[in-house]
Amino acid sequence: MASSSLFPCLTVFFCMISIMAPLTAGQLDYSYYDRACPVLPRIIRWNVWSALRNDSRIAASLLRLHFHDCFVNGCDGSVLLDDTNDFKGEKNAAPNRNSVRGFETIDNIKADLERACPLTVSCVDILTLAAREVVVMSGGPFWPVLLGRRDGLTASEKAANDQLPSPFEPLDKIAAKFTDKGLDLRDVVVLSGAHTIGFAQCFTFKRRLFNYQDSGKPDPILDSSMLSNLQSTCPEEGSNTKITPLDIQSVTRFDNAYYRNLMNNTGLLESDQALMSNSETADMVKSYSLYPYLFYQDFAASMVKLGNVGVLTGETGQIRKVCGSVNYYY
């Protein structure tokens, strides 16, 4: 958790976030469910707390699930949909297969809400709120969440494959994908900071350990002591699905250690360490490594932007009864 010596900064920080975020965006509103489902915040918090108590990895999983939802044709809950005869969903797309987690937590929240407020709260709003809660419960910043998103009616495996950034892509290509979503280079750096929590499978970084860019040698940038440890954890043969922390300094604590790691050449993913190869992004990394509350402020701002990408409102979309399937009678 954040040091208590920094608590006096919180009031100013929250005020800045409130000023930064608009009162409404389209038909979204902070108090959208206040009358229709006043128990919503309590149900979200209880289920997220319960999930975290049983599985510390769920914080990163839910945050990633929200990102992967919003990055594919907007925040519409499409990542939650199972395959049907009409479409191949996103769960088995290459960036998600045997990787995205947290569906059970979202389903549990939805089931509780359907008992309390039937057909009222969308699955995408549940996911957006859950992502905020896991960050807060992991020691990170709070940000206000506009509500009233509606769930999409379809999903696309191809769109997920095409639109989601990959840890193997160069920085300019990743930045271009962010730009396509109305996000900018600062958002790339800030949202990458979510890698302060969670784990990565060995296959996502193993080429850095043994045969970087077909050189037959490890990535020369990677810290030598970290290289040795990773080679032991992820041997060249048969270790693709083993996992290791993205941020060994603070595996379950949301903080700015990720940026300090990059400064020390101990970023795990090639796409993370690449932030130091560009002077503009490297300057941002340095600032966030030194000033945690600057990172918190900008992370909150970027999450607000992310949560408003391509949302459905009004009569568009629907409120699913079950998050994994569309209500076809609508």
Side-chain angles (χ1 to χ4, degrees):
M1 297 295 288
S3 169
S4 60
S5 64
L6 294 173
F7 282 177
C9 300
L10 287 174
T11 301
V12 175
F13 171 67
F14 291 152
C15 289
M16 291 176 68
I17 296 302
S18 297
I19 293 170
M20 164 197 69
L23 180 61
T24 60
Q27 297 179 55
L28 301 183
D29 192 281
Y30 296 118
S31 57
Y32 191 87
Y33 297 112
D34 283 4
R35 291 187 179 181
C37 194
V39 296
L40 171 61
R42 187 167 68 231
I43 288 175
I44 294 280
R45 289 183 190 123
W46 166 254
N47 278 278
V48 169
W49 177 83
S50 180
L52 270 172
R53 182 184 58 180
N54 294 322
D55 176 12
S56 62
R57 289 178 58 199
I58 203 67
S61 298
L62 290 173
L63 185 55
R64 184 167 182 255
L65 195 60
H66 174 53
F67 180 88
H68 280 220
D69 179 43
C70 292
F71 233 81
V72 181
N73 296 330
C75 308
D76 63 356
S78 57
V79 73
L80 305 172
L81 288 172
D82 296 321
D83 293 351
T84 72
N85 292 331
D86 298 321
F87 60 79
K88 291 188 70 175
E90 298 162 24
K91 290 183 177 181
N92 288 310
N96 294 336
R97 189 184 313 121
N98 300 320
S99 174
V100 288
R101 308 169 66 246
F103 298 105
E104 183 178 346
T105 301
I106 301 301
D107 289 342
N108 289 341
I109 295 171
K110 182 61 172 173
D112 285 350
L113 287 170
E114 284 302 302
R115 284 188 287 269
C117 325
L119 288 175
T120 300
V121 182
S122 66
C123 296
V124 61
D125 273 348
I126 293 170
L127 182 52
T128 305
L129 287 167
R132 194 266 309 276
E133 290 304 316
V134 292
V135 170
V136 172
M137 290 183 186
S138 300
F142 175 95
W143 62 92
V145 175
L146 287 162
L147 299 168
R149 299 167 189 78
R150 288 171 65 84
D151 298 319
L153 304 178
T154 189
S156 171
E157 180 182 63
K158 182 180 185 304
N161 284 328
D162 292 344
Q163 296 176 27
L164 285 167
S166 163
F168 308 114
E169 291 177 327
L171 179 58
D172 59 346
K173 188 169 183 180
I174 292 173
K177 289 185 174 182
F178 272 68
T179 300
D180 287 343
K181 305 302 175 186
L183 304 171
D184 58 28
L185 193 60
R186 182 169 296 276
D187 297 313
V188 175
V189 179
V190 171
L191 293 175
S192 295
H195 289 168
T196 186
I197 55 175
F199 291 74
Q201 296 184 60
C202 289
F203 82 90
T204 61
F205 58 86
K206 196 159 66 172
R207 73 177 187 176
R208 300 186 70 195
L209 309 183
F210 302 101
N211 187 27
Y212 182 64
Q213 296 183 348
D214 296 321
S215 66
K217 299 178 181 179
D219 183 348
I221 295 176
L222 190 60
D223 175 80
S224 58
S225 60
M226 182 177 182
L227 171 64
S228 177
N229 290 334
L230 289 175
Q231 287 176 331
S232 176
T233 302
C234 301
E236 196 163 5
E237 299 296 331
S239 63
N240 282 351
T241 59
K242 291 183 68 176
I243 60 173
T244 193
L246 284 158
D247 172 7
I248 194 66
Q249 303 301 320
S250 56
V251 180
T252 61
R253 187 174 67 254
F254 194 99
D255 58 19
N256 67 330
Y258 164 85
Y259 298 104
R260 296 197 297 273
N261 293 342
L262 300 188
M263 295 288 292
N264 295 324
N265 292 325
T266 56
L268 183 64
L269 302 181
E270 188 176 340
S271 56
D272 286 337
Q273 195 60 53
L275 295 177
M276 294 301 296
S277 66
N278 172 287
S279 60
E280 187 176 356
T281 57
D283 284 346
M284 296 181 205
V285 168
K286 182 177 181 179
S287 293
Y288 295 142
S289 73
L290 294 172
Y291 306 111
Y293 271 85
L294 177 62
F295 167 50
Y296 288 172
Q297 172 189 308
D298 288 355
F299 185 83
S302 289
M303 288 300 291
V304 170
K305 290 173 66 177
L306 176 68
N308 292 333
V309 171
V311 298
L312 307 176
T313 60
E315 298 301 314
T316 310
Q318 64 177 208
I319 305 299
R320 293 183 207 144
K321 185 175 179 63
V322 176
C323 290
S325 60
V326 172
N327 307 334
Y328 283 105
Y329 55 83
Y330 262 53

